Amino acid sequence: MNAISIIAKKRDKKELSQDEIDYFIKEYTKGNITDYQAAALVMAIYINGMTNKEITNLTISMANSGDTIDLSDVSDNIVDKHSTGGVGDKITLILMPIIASLGVPVAKMSGRGLGFTGGTSDKLESIPGYNVNISIEEFKNNVQEIGISLITSSLNLAPADKKIYALRDTIGCTANIPLIASSIMSKKIASGANKILIDITCGNGAFMKDIKQAKELANMMIKIGILAHREVRCVITNMNEPTGHAIGNTLEVIEAIKALKGDMPEDIKEIIIALGTQMLFMAGKASDAVKATQMIEEAIQSGAAYNKFKELVAKQGGDITYLDDTEKFPKAKHIIPVYAEERGALKTIDTEKIGNISVYLGAGRIRKEDSIDHTAGIVMNQRIGNVVEVGQVLAYIHTNDESKIEGATRNLKEAFVLDPKKVAKPKTVIGLIK
């Protein structure tokens, strides 16, 4: 068995065996197979596809290519939630304390932002003192003691996936359903979850641009779950406009805190109910949607969800006085309104463009080593379907770099398309696949 014969087999549209996939992943992770050989196999997969069995074997091989976490001593029923990413997506910050307050253990590792999509770990670090880099032992202890821990991974989880992911980006093979599905699922399996809920964001501000792609990805991950003995459910949500109002780390944390206190934008509430209901079903805490919705709403109204978030922040070294008084959070030097120059109903928003503007202002990173400005970002003032008058505020720019205001303002205006006719408000939650 060697790399060349495996590449040739996939080039010729033949099915790779488990042993062949295991060999390739193991040797590539160790550096015994070159990047150009791996690129050849990835391109062959991109062009010729993979069977469900191949995709599952690839997923398991990547999951086992590095460290794995055993959470069975924490709970025999760990329900994890993953989002495929988007703009303004602070759902984890709101949903996970709600779920934990309802008695479902939350042991979640989240990534950092890259490109126009934000990262939960960066957002948590906006809270002074919050430590996302605690040890796995402390991570587990926190879940056992208070029912929740949110960290970034300090382990070498699925290193083969990291190498292949970076390679895909350089050879134009990112938009491939089998490779996306195996990438997501390998990290979730390595991190110890036995039940996985995927929020598949869909629209111009997401990696899945249309419903067909989103459904194909959902079905693929569910099939992987069945073959890998994991329960997987997928909720498809709309990312044709940013989630909520805030885009940027501190801004999103403040919006999440307000949401946990009961001041929740309608689109966020719909997503929280949809995802939370499925998590409660998977955890065996509810059996019908009405009951699950009541439980979620009660957790917010009673203050239990907010108190759980405070408990989490305190446990991981954060200063909870910032949660009680969000005015304490530092603000950007320049907060600039962007005004509408014509009247009309807001027809479309170029959400990816808005995400990229936020990165330009300092809220995100292009390269992994880039630093970020936690106070930078954008606050949206309008949503699709709103009728906007001349001179009304479309959004606010938050930046510490005065030289970027003019360009950001110009580009932000271009991201909004108005129509003289009435525009219907879009659905926030598109569908459930299980």
Side-chain angles (χ1 to χ4, degrees), residues 83-109:
S83 169
T84 56
V87 179
D89 182 359
K90 72 280 297 175
I91 296 301
T92 291
L93 299 176
I94 304 166
L95 177 62
M96 294 321 227
I98 293 171
I99 294 302
S101 74
L102 293 170
V104 179
V106 171
K108 180 160 178 56
M109 295 183 181

Side-chain angles (χ1 to χ4, degrees), residues 346-363:
L346 185 51
K347 183 179 181 180
T348 61
I349 297 173
D350 189 336
T351 307
E352 183 174 339
K353 186 170 190 172
I354 286 175
N356 284 324
I357 295 168
S358 181
V359 172
Y360 170 73
L361 293 168

Side-chain angles (χ1 to χ4, degrees), residues 95-147:
L95 177 62
M96 294 321 227
I98 293 171
I99 294 302
S101 74
L102 293 170
V104 179
V106 171
K108 180 160 178 56
M109 295 183 181
S110 297
R112 299 192 179 278
L114 186 63
F116 69 88
T117 61
T120 298
S121 293
D122 295 323
K123 295 166 192 177
L124 286 167
E125 286 183 332
S126 298
I127 303 170
Y130 191 100
N131 186 6
V132 298
N133 294 304
I134 62 177
S135 69
I136 295 303
E137 183 180 356
E138 191 175 353
F139 173 62
K140 288 183 176 183
N141 287 340
N142 288 356
V143 178
Q144 289 173 327
E145 290 175 18
I146 66 169

Side-chain angles (χ1 to χ4, degrees), residues 69-85:
I69 301 174
D70 181 2
L71 295 173
S72 60
D73 55 338
V74 175
S75 172
D76 59 2
N77 193 16
I78 296 292
V79 184
D80 200 358
K81 171 259 177 193
H82 176 82
S83 169
T84 56

Side-chain angles (χ1 to χ4, degrees), residues 310-354:
K310 285 179 68 174
E311 201 175 1
L312 162 69
V313 171
K315 192 72 172 174
Q316 293 190 212
D319 187 342
I320 62 171
T321 65
Y322 283 77
L323 278 57
D324 289 330
D325 180 10
T326 56
E327 288 298 315
K328 289 186 66 174
F329 280 100
K331 297 177 178 61
K333 291 180 183 177
H334 308 286
I335 302 174
I336 309 298
V338 177
Y339 299 104
E341 296 178 346
E342 59 180 311
R343 183 189 187 279
L346 185 51
K347 183 179 181 180
T348 61
I349 297 173
D350 189 336
T351 307
E352 183 174 339
K353 186 170 190 172
I354 286 175

Side-chain angles (χ1 to χ4, degrees), residues 35-52:
D35 277 343
Y36 62 79
Q37 288 175 312
L41 181 63
V42 168
M43 185 62 75
I45 291 169
Y46 185 90
I47 293 169
N48 295 326
M50 301 183 90
T51 65
N52 291 334

Side-chain angles (χ1 to χ4, degrees), residues 343-347 385-387 418-424:
R343 183 189 187 279
L346 185 51
K347 183 179 181 180
N386 288 3
V387 175
L418 301 177
D419 193 306
K421 300 175 184 177
K422 185 177 180 180
V423 174

Side-chain angles (χ1 to χ4, degrees), residues 360-375:
Y360 170 73
L361 293 168
R365 53 175 71 82
I366 301 298
R367 300 169 301 173
K368 288 184 179 180
E369 60 268 25
D370 291 346
S371 60
I372 59 173
D373 177 354
H374 284 92
T375 65

